[in-house]
Amino acid sequence: METEALANGDAVPTVHPPNPPARLNDHLAESLRLEHQLMRVPFEHLKKSMRTSNRTVEKEMNAVMSGVAEAAQKDMSKEEAVQHLNSLVSRLQGLKRKLDESNKSEQLQVQRCRARLDHLTVLRAENQQEWNNIRVNRILVDYMLRLSYYDTAMKLAENSAIQDLVDVNVFMDAKKVVECLQNRDCAPALAWCAENKSKLKKVKALFDAKQWDNLVQQFKEEFCKLYGMTVEPLLNIYLQAGLSALKTQYPFNLYNASLYIFHQILL
């Protein structure tokens, strides 16, 4: 132990400050940097739900207040006044039901945000393999959802107990629009555009009646951008990053490359 001499000649041990806590190594830190989409999607979904609720409240309350003002100006009989007020009460009750449903949806998104934040904060060197196993399952679910293998994706999410870490519900919303477009029906897609017009920069460019085959892909791209998701499946992104990191002179067979990279992820 090091010592220091005082003015009177006595020696005392030197006290060193404790070492700062060890940070995640570069590999772990890089893993976290790739998880932007994981937090962005439920947050965007929550914001959308809250905007919808606010618009609904504003619309219904304006209608009720207009109804009250109209009743005050008209010369109504007792029966007419009671009937009019009952209709306004029914409208407010309908608003309450809508807000209750919206609140459940918002609470679900808050739960998912919390679950995903907890998932990111538990990443440590000692549990990296388990964490990466979950990541692989998440990537596979994302890939299957984008390729419309919805049932398989839901079964994998359920069997892996990662329902709060994947975006099945978001893709199921897109599924309804995609199926209608494939059946040459653009009404749901136009309704979706109208609902999200404040966040879509080029709504008119999204639909071209002469190119039905392109509509589905264009919708999927806009849908992903709206929720802050990558346009490319996460599986493709990780594979490309892994292949670039290999820096090999010879082209890999894609299947063998996939196995190799997933093996590296699980290390």
Side-chain angles (χ1 to χ4, degrees), residues 229-244:
M229 293 186 285
T230 59
V231 175
E232 282 288 320
L234 293 177
L235 179 60
N236 292 0
I237 294 173
Y238 279 94
L239 285 175
Q240 291 167 6
L243 289 173
S244 299

Side-chain angles (χ1 to χ4, degrees), residues 211-229:
Q211 299 182 8
W212 284 99
D213 292 340
N214 294 333
L215 288 181
V216 172
Q217 184 59 34
Q218 291 176 18
F219 168 76
K220 288 181 178 179
E221 291 177 3
E222 295 297 333
F223 188 89
C224 290
K225 292 175 184 177
L226 182 71
Y227 282 101
M229 293 186 285

Side-chain angles (χ1 to χ4, degrees), residues 41 45 48 142 144-148 150 167-183 185 188-190 192-193 195-196 207 215-227 229:
V41 175
H45 203 169
K48 179 183 177 183
D142 174 89
M144 287 185 284
L145 287 171
R146 291 172 187 263
L147 269 65
S148 302
Y150 302 107
D167 302 306
V168 174
N169 63 317
V170 174
F171 281 95
M172 293 305 289
D173 290 341
K175 175 177 179 287
K176 301 172 184 176
V177 179
V178 169
E179 289 178 346
C180 289
L181 287 174
Q182 291 171 338
N183 293 324
D185 178 10
L190 291 173
W192 181 85
C193 287
E195 181 183 354
N196 298 282
F207 298 101
L215 288 181
V216 172
Q217 184 59 34
Q218 291 176 18
F219 168 76
K220 288 181 178 179
E221 291 177 3
E222 295 297 333
F223 188 89
C224 290
K225 292 175 184 177
L226 182 71
Y227 282 101
M229 293 186 285

Side-chain angles (χ1 to χ4, degrees), residues 81-188:
V82 170
Q83 184 178 2
H84 187 74
L85 290 176
N86 284 338
S87 67
L88 295 179
V89 170
S90 296
R91 189 156 191 166
L92 289 174
Q93 290 173 338
L95 174 60
K96 182 180 183 301
R97 286 192 297 270
K98 291 179 181 179
L99 291 179
D100 288 341
E101 294 175 1
S102 178
N103 182 61
K104 291 179 182 178
S105 175
E106 291 170 12
Q107 289 300 319
L108 177 61
Q109 298 310 319
V110 170
Q111 172 186 325
R112 286 178 175 156
C113 287
R114 185 179 295 113
R116 296 179 186 203
L117 184 59
D118 291 343
H119 173 66
L120 293 177
T121 56
V122 298
L123 176 59
R124 299 289 186 275
E126 59 270 19
N127 69 347
Q128 184 179 357
Q129 182 171 353
E130 178 183 359
W131 196 89
N132 280 335
N133 287 338
I134 296 175
R135 168 189 268 182
V136 169
N137 286 333
R138 289 195 292 107
I139 293 173
L140 291 176
V141 170
D142 174 89
Y143 185 76
M144 287 185 284
L145 287 171
R146 291 172 187 263
L147 269 65
S148 302
Y149 298 126
Y150 302 107
D151 292 339
T152 305
M154 287 189 288
K155 288 180 181 178
L156 177 57
E158 182 179 355
N159 292 338
S160 305
I162 57 173
Q163 292 95 325
D164 284 340
L165 303 180
V166 292
D167 302 306
V168 174
N169 63 317
V170 174
F171 281 95
M172 293 305 289
D173 290 341
K175 175 177 179 287
K176 301 172 184 176
V177 179
V178 169
E179 289 178 346
C180 289
L181 287 174
Q182 291 171 338
N183 293 324
R184 305 298 188 261
D185 178 10
C186 64

